Amino acid sequence: MVRRSDVRRLLFLGAVFCTTVGWMLLQKPAFLLFYHARAAEASFGEWLGVLWHGLSLDCTVAGYVTAFPVLVVLASFWIPLSQRVWRIVLTVYFSLIALVTAAIFAVDVELYRHWGFRLDSTVLIYLADPKEAMASVDFWLGVRQTLLAAAYVALMIWTYRRVVGLFDGEPLRRRAALPWTFGLLLLAGCDFLAIRGGTGASVANVS
């Protein structure tokens, strides 16, 4: 018998994946609007092409983000912790995800003006000497990008908290936990395919 709590777990995982894809997609029109003068040279179809061609890597990122919640749901089948504890763990996790994502976006959207290409491993060279890198950053520019990151973090956490509200951590009886565990492992396999970007060789290449 399928219980409401079991369905909510599956809805929760689906919502995590879709919400993450949505936030990744949102970065692209935001980036184009930030450079609206150059983006105006492209047609509406080319704008849509930006979203479409980036969707596979957005799904890859969403797959990575969803991996930990999959493990939490799997653990909740067997470990009798209160729902409050599970939700605190998930909230802390998504807060960290939001913080890292917002910081990367705020830095990326400004560095493009100077570098002419999107953020990649080049930034690691500057992280070796952070004092020198910070010395070349204008104070008010730093304030603006920090506020942008803060707004992004706040909105991401707000949406993820709504997603966490779907999670139901009620443990299962062992007889029911076993088939649900096998089913979730199959779902984890689908998440792994999303991370790889398909079944071919080196399908996804996240810089």
Side-chain angles (χ1 to χ4, degrees):
M1 178 179 178
V2 178
R3 303 179 308 170
R4 182 170 177 268
S5 60
D6 303 329
V7 174
R8 285 173 65 89
R9 283 182 172 100
L10 296 179
L11 288 175
F12 162 71
L13 293 176
V16 169
F17 188 89
C18 293
T19 299
T20 306
V21 170
W23 275 112
M24 297 302 106
L25 281 173
L26 185 63
Q27 288 186 10
K28 295 169 182 62
F31 185 91
L32 292 172
L33 287 173
F34 199 87
Y35 294 98
H36 56 88
R38 297 181 63 179
E41 301 171 3
S43 66
F44 181 70
E46 288 172 323
W47 276 49
L48 293 179
V50 169
L51 298 178
W52 175 253
H53 291 300
L55 184 59
S56 61
L57 285 183
D58 292 336
C59 290
T60 293
V61 173
Y64 278 111
V65 172
T66 308
F68 180 73
V70 168
L71 295 177
V72 169
V73 171
L74 183 61
S76 71
F77 290 154
W78 300 91
I79 302 175
L81 293 178
S82 69
Q83 183 161 281
R84 181 173 178 271
V85 171
W86 289 121
R87 289 187 175 183
I88 288 175
V89 170
L90 289 167
T91 299
V92 171
Y93 170 73
F94 287 125
S95 297
L96 292 174
I97 292 295
L99 183 62
V100 172
T101 302
I104 291 174
F105 177 69
V107 171
D108 178 42
V109 76
E110 179 58 33
L111 280 183
Y112 182 80
R113 186 191 311 278
H114 306 282
W115 290 2
F117 57 90
R118 302 297 299 273
L119 190 65
D120 60 10
S121 59
T122 305
V123 72
L124 297 177
I125 299 173
Y126 296 94
L127 290 179
D129 192 352
K131 289 185 177 180
E132 182 179 345
M134 291 302 295
S136 61
V137 176
D138 178 77
F139 174 76
W140 291 112
L141 174 62
V143 170
R144 186 190 70 181
Q145 297 310 106
T146 299
L147 291 175
L148 174 63
Y152 198 160
V153 166
L155 288 172
M156 283 192 74
I157 291 177
W158 184 84
T159 54
Y160 276 127
R161 282 178 66 87
R162 298 303 179 274
V163 172
V164 170
L166 294 172
F167 178 78
D168 192 322
E170 181 183 351
L172 302 178
R173 293 181 179 179
R174 183 164 298 183
R175 184 179 298 177
L178 196 58
W180 274 102
T181 297
F182 285 126
L184 191 62
L185 289 175
L186 292 176
L187 187 62
C190 296
D191 187 60
F192 178 72
L193 285 179
I195 291 173
R196 294 198 71 252
T199 57
S202 300
V203 181
N205 181 21
V206 183
S207 61

